[in-house]
């Protein structure tokens, strides 16, 4: 029985991993690149945030209720969505004057 459960798990997990949209966000010198991230509304996605240094940063979003430290040379993964159409601000908590961005969730046109 255990064997068939494991086989099912293996069959299901890669399919999910393949369909999840991954969006890369870089941190450099207290700025996010890109500053605006567009995603389709109503879909889950993963934000991969990489800190190219030199300072530690914290990816933070009050709108999305996320807060995660990113040390120089490292990446974090933030699972988000599905979002309603709208704009969701994020910022770098250690450089809040310069590290600003937003995620724009848009309904895809049929
Ligand atoms: Cu914070």
């Amino acid at each position: 029985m255990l064997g068939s459960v494991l086989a099912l798990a293996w069959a299901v997990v890669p399919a999910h991993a393949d369909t999840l949209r991954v969006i890369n966000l870089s941190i450099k010198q207290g700025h996010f690149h890109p500053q605006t991230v567009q995603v389709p509304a109503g879909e889950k996605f993963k934000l991969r945030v990489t800190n190219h240094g030199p300072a530690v940063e914290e990816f933070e979003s009050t709108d999305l209720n996320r807060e995660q430290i990113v040390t120089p040379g490292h990446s974090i993964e933030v699972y988000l969505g599905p979002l309603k159409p709208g704009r969701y601000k994020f910022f770098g908590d250690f450089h809040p004057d310069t590290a600003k961005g937003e995620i724009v969730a848009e309904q895809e046109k049929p």
Side-chain angles (χ1 to χ4, degrees):
M1 193 56 201
L2 185 60
S4 61
V5 170
L6 286 177
L8 185 63
W10 277 114
V12 169
V13 172
H16 272 273
D18 286 345
T19 54
L20 188 68
R21 188 185 302 262
V22 179
I23 293 157
N24 290 298
L25 195 65
S26 300
I27 301 168
K28 287 175 197 158
Q29 318 255 0
H31 292 265
F32 287 109
H33 305 274
Q35 291 189 309
T36 304
V37 174
Q38 280 188 298
V39 296
E43 266 185 34
K44 292 185 182 184
F45 60 96
K46 179 167 77 175
L47 208 57
R48 183 183 293 129
V49 186
T50 304
N51 187 346
H52 295 281
V56 68
E57 190 54 273
E58 185 177 50
F59 173 86
E60 181 153 353
S61 172
T62 314
D63 292 346
L64 296 163
N65 194 26
R66 291 293 192 282
E67 191 173 20
Q68 215 167 322
I69 294 280
V70 201
T71 53
H74 289 91
S75 300
I76 57 161
E77 293 184 334
V78 187
Y79 288 84
L80 293 167
L83 298 177
K84 291 179 185 166
R87 306 177 92 89
Y88 302 83
K89 290 189 192 310
F90 59 82
F91 59 96
D93 208 12
F94 295 156
H95 303 84
D97 293 336
T98 56
K100 297 177 188 174
E102 64 179 358
I103 294 170
V104 180
E106 286 183 338
Q107 206 77 60
E108 287 197 320
K109 315 275 183 296

